[in-house]
Amino acid sequence: MKNTVIAVAIDGPAGAGKSTIARAAAEQLGFIYVDTGALYRTIGLAAHRRDIAGTDRVRIIQMLPEISVELVYQDGIQHVLLDGEDVSACIRTPQISVYASQVSSVPEVRAYLLDLQRQMARKSSIIMDGRDIGTVILPQAQVKIFLTASPEARAERRCAELREKGETVTIQEVLADIEARDEKDASRAVAPLKQAEDAVLLDTSALTLEESIAAVLQVIKTVTEGK
């Protein structure tokens, strides 16, 4: 993989551990990890700061030419900038999570961010995760992985994460939320969640985090060495 720009697209349902696994794999390979979710969160934050509802498509579209969104890397750490301001911490609130989900369904928002994401893939070796990376954003990626796990396994992991943060939740509540998100992601009109035809399916239901990272690294090695 030396002297070659490699693009790795990792797609999959909510709670599959895509971001954690992708970030760790990128670090081990010396690739840049692109957190596409942070971009949508930043658009959501911009709307929130302007008192625009996340469902107000017309005003969100009107806002896009007025803002600047950038991903920069300092000491290997990703920072997202909104109009030059580092908002990396501001976008991680539950309220902005809702906004991100809402604005991501607007085709014009996805188009706005499309070129930014593709430019990054042309410049550097990257691992990018999301719902439609291999099918829409980077259809020419050398490596495509569809990372999944059973709803029950994802619910258990998510529940453990929330409890570590001090939240009181039940498996049943988290499982219901995951199943609802799966249905929404798979049935939405714009860039629905689906496995790319040439993606490697990787089910991590029975794997630990370390085993999942190792499995992703092995897929990347196998595919790139075979090209």
Side-chain angles (χ1 to χ4, degrees):
M1 291 186 282
K2 291 183 178 180
N3 302 319
T4 301
V5 173
I6 300 293
V8 180
I10 300 182
D11 292 306
K18 299 185 300 296
S19 297
T20 301
I21 294 169
R23 185 181 290 106
E27 183 177 354
Q28 291 194 37
L29 291 170
F31 287 13
I32 289 175
Y33 166 62
V34 180
D35 181 358
T36 59
L39 298 174
Y40 288 102
R41 285 172 177 270
T42 303
I43 299 292
L45 177 64
H48 172 62
R49 286 181 169 181
R50 287 166 171 76
D51 292 322
I52 299 173
T55 54
D56 190 338
R57 176 177 171 178
V58 172
R59 293 187 64 195
I60 288 171
I61 294 171
Q62 292 173 341
M63 173 192 76
L64 295 177
E66 303 171 358
I67 65 174
S68 169
V69 178
E70 298 176 85
L71 281 179
V72 298
Y73 291 83
Q74 299 172 356
D75 300 323
I77 299 175
Q78 175 185 276
H79 296 267
V80 61
L81 307 182
L82 173 61
D83 299 327
E85 175 193 350
D86 188 341
V87 295
S88 304
C90 305
I91 61 174
R92 299 299 174 182
T93 67
Q95 184 178 34
I96 299 306
S97 294
V98 174
Y99 262 92
S101 177
Q102 292 170 332
V103 302
S104 68
S105 66
V106 178
E108 289 80 1
V109 170
R110 306 190 74 86
Y112 175 86
L113 294 175
L114 179 62
D115 189 54
L116 171 62
Q117 295 170 88
R118 288 181 173 171
Q119 282 183 27
M120 298 187 71
R122 286 193 290 266
K123 295 177 181 178
S124 308
S125 290
I126 65 165
I127 296 183
M128 188 181 295
D129 74 278
R131 304 286 195 278
D132 61 348
I133 308 304
T135 55
V136 177
I137 307 301
L138 300 177
Q140 303 304 319
Q142 293 94 325
V143 184
K144 298 180 185 179
I145 299 171
F146 193 82
L147 188 70
T148 190
S150 69
E152 291 76 17
R154 287 184 281 137
E156 289 180 4
R157 295 168 184 171
R158 180 60 176 159
C159 196
E161 291 176 1
L162 293 172
R163 286 173 177 171
E164 284 182 4
K165 295 178 180 179
E167 297 187 33
T168 302
V169 294
T170 66
I171 288 289
Q172 291 75 16
E173 291 172 336
V174 177
L175 179 58
D177 179 60
I178 282 178
E179 290 177 335
R181 290 185 66 181
D182 284 352
E183 172 63 23
K184 179 180 178 181
D185 287 341
S187 62
R188 69 188 184 190
V190 180
L193 170 66
K194 64 178 181 179
Q195 180 179 341
E197 292 183 2
D198 53 347
V200 175
L201 177 64
L202 182 56
D203 190 319
T204 67
S205 298
L207 302 181
T208 64
L209 175 58
E210 291 72 20
E211 290 170 339
S212 299
I213 295 168
V216 165
L217 289 170
Q218 184 58 52
V219 170
I220 296 171
K221 178 180 179 182
T222 299
V223 173
T224 54
E225 290 184 350
K227 290 187 180 294

